[in-house]
Amino acid sequence: MLVNTIKEVREQVKAWRKEGLSIGYVPTMGFLHEGHKSLIEKAVSENDRVVVSVFVNPTQFGPNEDFEDYPRDIEKDYAFCTEAGANLVFNPEPEEMYFPDKCTTVNVEGLSKGLCGAKRPVHFGGVCLVVSKFLNIVTPDRAYFGEKDAQQLAIIKRMVRDLSIDVEIIGCPIVRENDGLAKSSRNTYLSEDERKAALVLSRSLKKANEAMENGLRCTKEIKNIIESEINAEPLAKADYIEIVDSETLQPVESVEKNVLVAIAVFIGKTRLIDNFTFRLN
Ligand code: PAF
């Protein structure tokens, strides 16, 4: 079922609840790929009914970002969701989601400041606002987020905890192309040469991971390994290379606990992100 209004979602959810059914929820901005499929399939395997939202959320894009250009194809997305086992696809217009005179903001301080937040100052406020609204509309038992957006996942978990939202947030592993590139709707922006150059993200992280597996703990040296690899790729320009505590997202000088190694790299004009978590226990 494809619906566009909050009212329709609420009515359907109410009917399912009456039957005692559990509900899983996958938020997306559409142009769905295998990464989204893995989230939907996990939701299907763990819940009686699954809702997917497809909404390119204007509030999480900065003024010079790609909101207008972001790829959209609702017909294809709807078929994709149905095929993956979703029961309801919610595709609202911005006017359905936002009152013109809205005054409420949702900000998770601290966690939103570094990494992507340092480069995209309005981004996580917009993500938190829209995700909290969707969680209020869908009222799922479980909601599924990809680990590729590791900072987003940490922020959403904290928001849900701090606001006592009654939902379990479930992180799902990064899905990659055969050659290692993390799946992303933004990969469609890449030319053939850029697509090859984009492999520098996963390659540089693999090198860092190997060095850490071999005992390297100094984050400056680990970052140097990643930086050299990125600098050797003419079409790539690092936006940030960070190693942070995986829970607080604060930078660390030495790897003494579980850390998130996260990078953002411009390949031509396209900004891609990738990461891995290095666990000591
Ligand atoms: O990860 C995304 O695609 C978006 O940030 C989300 C969670 C759907 C909110 O718009």
Side-chain angles (χ1 to χ4, degrees):
M1 190 191 319
L2 176 64
V3 304
N4 309 112
T5 65
I6 295 171
K7 189 166 174 276
E8 286 166 295
V9 179
R10 289 206 159 125
E11 278 171 7
Q12 184 55 71
V13 165
K14 220 185 220 171
W16 286 335
R17 289 290 182 209
K18 255 193 179 160
E19 291 180 59
L21 301 174
S22 64
I23 297 170
Y25 167 57
V26 181
T28 82
M29 296 208 303
F31 222 72
L32 305 175
H33 51 67
E34 296 294 308
H36 298 109
K37 192 172 177 199
S38 74
L39 303 183
I40 300 171
E41 286 180 346
K42 188 161 169 63
V44 168
S45 74
E46 295 179 350
N47 301 275
D48 298 317
R49 295 289 182 270
V50 170
V51 176
V52 179
S53 59
V54 174
F55 180 60
V56 184
N57 173 36
T59 63
Q60 69 189 72
F61 288 80
N64 299 317
E65 294 183 356
D66 56 345
F67 173 67
E68 298 294 343
D69 295 336
Y70 198 86
R72 292 158 168 91
D73 189 341
I74 186 59
E75 273 170 35
K76 211 163 157 210
D77 285 342
Y78 178 58
F80 185 100
C81 289
T82 312
E83 174 86 358
N87 305 93
L88 186 146
V89 176
F90 179 33
N91 176 226
E93 290 298 323
E95 299 72 38
E96 178 70 9
M97 290 299 287
Y98 294 118
F99 293 96
D101 60 347
K102 70 176 162 48
C103 316
T104 305
T105 55
V106 186
N107 281 300
V108 176
E109 303 293 344
L111 293 187
S112 304
K113 290 276 174 280
L115 304 166
C116 288
K119 307 286 173 177
R120 306 183 69 192
V122 301
H123 178 66
F124 288 114
V127 169
C128 288
L129 181 60
V130 83
V131 171
S132 55
K133 282 175 72 77
F134 278 128
L135 292 176
N136 280 331
I137 294 163
V138 180
T139 63
D141 297 282
R142 296 172 200 85
Y144 298 79
F145 292 81
E147 287 173 355
K148 184 163 85 67
D149 296 300
Q151 186 176 15
Q152 169 172 280
L153 177 60
I155 288 171
I156 296 296
K157 281 187 176 163
R158 191 66 68 89
M159 177 187 84
V160 160
R161 187 201 74 176
D162 288 353
L163 296 180
S164 308
I165 302 178
D166 191 11
V167 62
E168 188 184 348
I169 300 297
I170 297 172
C172 303
I174 298 177
V175 177
R176 297 180 180 279
E177 305 284 355
N178 287 339
D179 60 9
L181 180 66
K183 301 247 184 192
S184 164
S185 307
R186 289 192 169 99
N187 291 349
T188 54
Y189 297 154
L190 301 171
S191 69
E192 208 174 300
D193 286 346
E194 288 172 343
R195 172 66 184 75
K196 281 186 202 141
L199 290 179
V200 74
L201 281 94
S202 53
R203 193 168 64 238
S204 63
L205 290 180
K206 192 161 172 247
K207 284 207 162 173
N209 190 33
E210 277 162 14
M212 292 165 85
E213 293 285 358
N214 288 330
L216 188 61
R217 294 288 173 265
C218 169
T219 55
K220 194 163 174 247
E221 288 178 39
I222 301 165
K223 285 199 231 176
N224 284 343
I225 293 174
I226 299 173
E227 194 175 7
S228 316
E229 195 67 29
I230 295 172
N231 287 346
E233 171 49 66
L235 294 179
K237 189 173 179 303
D239 191 30
Y240 69 71
I241 300 165
E242 294 287 356
I243 303 179
V244 298
D245 180 298
S246 62
E247 272 179 34
T248 64
L249 303 186
Q250 294 306 306
V252 293
E253 285 185 5
S254 173
V255 180
E256 308 298 341
K257 296 202 250 170
N258 296 349
V259 291
L260 172 73
V261 182
I263 60 176
V265 180
F266 280 101
I267 304 292
K269 285 192 175 145
T270 305
R271 184 176 177 279
L272 300 177
I273 57 172
D274 202 349
N275 70 75
F276 67 94
T277 298
F278 186 79
R279 291 180 211 283
L280 283 175
N281 44 46

